Amino acid sequence: MKATTQPPLLSAVLSLAATSFAFCTETPEAKPFGKTKDGAPVEVFTLVNKQGVKLRAMTYGATVLSLETPDRNGKSADIVLGYKTLGQYEKSSPYFGAIVGRYGNRIAGGKFTLQGKEYKLAENNGAPGLKSSLHGGLRGFDKVVWKAEPLAQDGAQGVRFSYLSKDGEEGYPGNLEVKVTYWLNDQNEWRVDYEMASDKATPVNLTQHSYFNLKGEGRGDILGHELTVPAAKFTPVNAAMIPTGELRSVAGTPLDFNQPKAIGARIQADDEQLRLGGGYDHNFVLKRPLFSGLSGRGTFPAATVHEPETGRVLTILTSEPGIQFYSGNFLDGTLTGKAGARYPKRSGFCLETQHYPDSPNQPSFPSTILKPGKVLKSTTVFQFGVK
Ligand code: BGC
């Protein structure tokens, strides 16, 4: 066989073509999504992959507006709850699709003591006498406009949202720099990378607050979805929805999801914890090595949800030590979703990867205190499949 030698120019062209082929994923474009009532422009980014998955996210709250995935027959539906307009998000949203922080979930009595000093937060949740600070206070990270930078890698589109939460904002200490990056890759994974640094010690606990309905948003309740959570224990709550401090075994309770169980199978059971939560609204202690303090980046399985009618499967992996399973108990049919359907009770569920609620007041829980000079990194991956 005769050896052929390519002229240098042709081989240069071929290698350039190979390089650009390897990095041909386009950077997503920013499009306007209206202005807040204060006049701040909000942008939306659309991430798409080669398998027909499409995720739209806006700079207000780093909120995921829609997430389209195929069912077992290849038919796409939008599997997250949300609104059509920015105005609706601003008016009243139960944190649809947003990043919540500086502290996701509750802090008892809206206060904590750090390095001998008491900090007071807004008590924006609970009945009189049972008050707490929920999801970062009155104007948490879900209600601010983030900066955004579109990104692309081989086989993945992304957007990096960043926000500077000033010292004293919502009562929390320290200037906290936050970066949250969404990646959508061709393997049908939506990856959320969190990165935070502060100039003073502060509690931090960010999470992604999407409400899923794997049948499609607006298509009834989620009670037939089958959930698996690999957790031997959960953090039981008191009447104020604050953890008692106990890590209680799930064995023999309706909170045992170690084997797949329909969400609705035991939701009406005569169980104190389900009564207190009005359904499921509990933090599960994930079966994985507990990091002392803030976690590293390796992810572990946290939950799987299978929807039998459409075959959609959602698998969640995280580096966080806990996950809040909230069965949409406070949805009550008063909110109208983006396609015009109302959202009745339990028409969406949240699986919020996190550190445990009220950790700043619970010395036995893994610490949520970010110290100055440290960078906190955390990752959660949402995988979309069918079976
Ligand atoms: C909490 C619920 C709360 C809901 C607000 C969830 O993360 O666990 O208790 O009502 O957020 O939409």
Side-chain angles (χ1 to χ4, degrees), residues 1 5-6 15 29 92 111 117 128 135 152 163-164 187 196 208 229 238 261 268 279 321 332 349 351 370 379 387:
M1 224 209 298
T5 325
Q6 281 160 0
S15 87
E29 247 182 86
S92 166
K111 59 185 179 206
K117 190 169 170 216
H135 292 336
Y163 179 64
L164 171 66
Q187 289 71 50
M196 284 149 281
Q208 221 298 329
V229 181
N238 64 21
K261 281 271 173 357
Q268 305 292 357
D332 60 3
F349 64 86
L351 283 164
L370 171 60
T379 292
K387 81 170 187 197

Coordinates of all heavy atoms in Angstrom, one line a residue, residues 1 5-6 15 29 92 111 117 128 135 152 163-164 187 196 208 229 238 261 268 279 321 332 349 351 370 379 387:
M1 N 0.8 -1.2 0.0 CA 0.0 0.0 0.0 C 0.9 1.2 0.0 O 1.9 1.3 0.7 CB -0.9 0.0 1.2 CG -2.3 0.4 0.8 SD -3.2 1.2 2.1 CE -3.3 0.0 3.4
T5 N 1.0 11.3 1.9 CA 1.3 12.4 2.9 C 0.5 13.6 2.5 O 0.4 14.0 1.4 CB 2.8 12.8 2.7 OG1 3.5 11.6 2.4 CG2 3.3 13.4 4.0
Q6 N -0.2 14.1 3.5 CA -1.1 15.3 3.2 C -0.2 16.5 3.2 O 0.7 16.6 4.0 CB -2.1 15.5 4.4 CG -3.3 14.5 4.3 CD -4.0 14.4 5.6 OE1 -3.6 15.0 6.6 NE2 -5.0 13.6 5.6
S15 N -7.2 19.5 10.9 CA -7.1 19.5 12.3 C -8.0 20.7 12.9 O -8.6 20.6 13.9 CB -5.7 19.6 12.8 OG -5.2 20.9 12.9
E29 N -28.1 32.3 23.6 CA -28.3 33.7 23.4 C -29.2 34.3 24.6 O -30.1 33.6 25.0 CB -29.1 33.9 22.2 CG -28.4 34.6 21.1 CD -29.3 34.9 19.9 OE1 -30.0 35.9 19.9 OE2 -29.3 34.0 19.0
S92 N -46.5 37.0 43.2 CA -46.6 35.9 44.2 C -46.3 34.6 43.6 O -47.0 34.1 42.7 CB -48.1 35.9 44.7 OG -48.3 34.7 45.4
K111 N -34.0 33.7 63.9 CA -32.7 34.2 64.5 C -31.7 33.1 64.7 O -32.0 31.9 64.8 CB -33.0 34.9 65.8 CG -33.7 34.1 66.9 CD -34.0 35.0 68.1 CE -34.8 34.1 69.1 NZ -35.7 34.8 69.9
K117 N -22.7 36.6 68.6 CA -23.6 37.7 68.2 C -24.9 37.1 67.7 O -24.9 36.2 66.9 CB -22.9 38.5 67.1 CG -23.6 39.8 66.8 CD -22.8 40.7 65.9 CE -23.8 41.8 65.5 NZ -23.7 42.3 64.3
P128 N -48.6 32.8 64.3 CA -48.0 33.5 65.5 C -47.6 32.4 66.6 O -48.3 31.4 66.8 CB -49.2 34.3 66.0 CG -50.1 34.5 64.8 CD -49.9 33.3 63.9
H135 N -36.6 30.4 53.4 CA -36.0 30.6 52.1 C -35.4 32.0 51.9 O -35.6 32.7 50.9 CB -37.1 30.4 51.0 CG -37.6 29.0 50.9 ND1 -36.8 27.9 51.3 CD2 -38.7 28.5 50.4 CE1 -37.5 26.8 51.0 NE2 -38.6 27.1 50.5
A152 N -20.6 27.6 26.8 CA -20.7 26.4 26.0 C -19.5 25.6 26.2 O -18.4 26.1 26.4 CB -20.9 26.8 24.6
Y163 N -24.5 36.7 41.8 CA -25.2 37.7 42.6 C -24.3 38.0 43.8 O -23.7 37.1 44.4 CB -26.5 37.1 43.1 CG -27.3 38.1 44.0 CD1 -27.7 39.3 43.5 CD2 -27.5 37.8 45.3 CE1 -28.4 40.2 44.3 CE2 -28.2 38.7 46.1 CZ -28.6 39.9 45.6 OH -29.3 40.8 46.4
L164 N -24.2 39.3 44.2 CA -23.5 39.7 45.4 C -24.6 40.1 46.4 O -25.3 41.0 46.2 CB -22.6 40.9 45.1 CG -22.0 41.5 46.3 CD1 -21.0 40.6 47.0 CD2 -21.3 42.8 46.0
Q187 N -26.2 14.2 27.4 CA -26.6 13.0 28.1 C -27.9 13.2 28.9 O -28.2 12.5 29.9 CB -25.5 12.5 29.0 CG -24.3 11.9 28.3 CD -23.5 13.0 27.6 OE1 -23.1 14.0 28.2 NE2 -23.2 12.8 26.3
M196 N -19.7 29.7 46.4 CA -20.0 30.8 47.3 C -18.7 31.2 48.1 O -18.0 30.3 48.5 CB -21.1 30.5 48.3 CG -22.4 30.5 47.6 SD -23.6 29.3 48.3 CE -23.1 27.8 47.6
Q208 N -32.3 24.5 44.7 CA -33.0 24.8 43.4 C -34.5 24.3 43.8 O -34.7 23.2 44.2 CB -32.5 23.9 42.3 CG -32.4 24.6 41.0 CD -33.8 25.0 40.4 OE1 -34.8 24.4 40.7 NE2 -33.8 26.1 39.7
V229 N -36.1 7.3 47.7 CA -35.1 8.1 48.4 C -34.2 7.2 49.3 O -34.7 6.6 50.2 CB -35.7 9.2 49.3 CG1 -34.7 10.1 50.0 CG2 -36.7 10.1 48.5
N238 N -41.3 19.8 64.4 CA -42.3 20.2 65.4 C -43.4 21.0 64.7 O -43.4 21.1 63.5 CB -41.7 21.0 66.6 CG -41.1 22.3 66.1 OD1 -41.5 22.8 65.0 ND2 -40.2 22.9 66.9
K261 N -42.1 3.9 46.0 CA -43.5 3.9 46.5 C -44.2 5.1 45.8 O -43.6 6.2 45.7 CB -43.5 4.1 48.0 CG -43.2 2.9 48.8 CD -44.5 2.2 49.1 CE -44.4 0.8 49.8 NZ -43.1 0.2 50.2
Q268 N -52.1 9.9 53.1 CA -53.2 10.1 54.1 C -53.1 9.3 55.4 O -54.0 9.3 56.2 CB -54.6 9.8 53.4 CG -54.8 10.5 52.1 CD -55.0 12.0 52.2 OE1 -55.0 12.5 53.3 NE2 -55.2 12.6 51.1
G279 N -48.8 16.7 54.7 CA -48.3 15.8 53.6 C -46.8 15.7 53.8 O -46.3 15.9 54.9
P321 N -25.8 16.8 52.0 CA -26.1 15.7 52.9 C -27.6 15.5 53.1 O -28.0 14.5 53.7 CB -25.5 16.2 54.2 CG -25.5 17.7 54.2 CD -25.3 18.0 52.7
D332 N -53.0 25.3 46.0 CA -54.5 25.2 46.4 C -55.4 25.5 45.2 O -56.6 25.8 45.5 CB -54.8 26.0 47.6 CG -54.5 27.5 47.3 OD1 -54.1 27.8 46.2 OD2 -54.6 28.3 48.2
F349 N -44.2 18.5 42.8 CA -43.4 18.2 44.0 C -42.0 18.8 43.8 O -41.6 19.0 42.7 CB -43.2 16.6 44.2 CG -42.5 16.0 43.1 CD1 -41.1 15.9 43.1 CD2 -43.1 15.4 42.0 CE1 -40.4 15.3 42.0 CE2 -42.4 14.8 40.9 CZ -41.0 14.8 41.0
L351 N -37.9 18.4 45.1 CA -36.9 17.7 45.8 C -35.7 18.6 45.9 O -35.0 18.8 44.9 CB -36.6 16.4 45.0 CG -37.6 15.3 45.1 CD1 -37.5 14.2 44.0 CD2 -37.5 14.6 46.5
L370 N -20.2 29.2 56.4 CA -19.1 29.5 55.5 C -18.2 30.5 56.1 O -18.6 31.6 56.4 CB -19.7 29.9 54.1 CG -18.7 30.5 53.1 CD1 -17.7 29.4 52.7 CD2 -19.5 31.0 51.9
T379 N -22.7 20.6 44.2 CA -23.3 20.2 42.9 C -24.5 19.3 43.1 O -24.5 18.5 43.9 CB -22.2 19.5 42.1 OG1 -21.2 20.4 41.8 CG2 -22.8 18.9 40.8
K387 N -38.5 4.9 31.2 CA -38.5 3.5 31.2 C -39.9 2.9 31.0 O -40.9 3.6 31.0 CB -37.9 3.0 32.6 CG -38.8 3.0 33.7 CD -38.1 2.2 34.9 CE -39.1 2.1 36.1 NZ -38.5 1.7 37.3

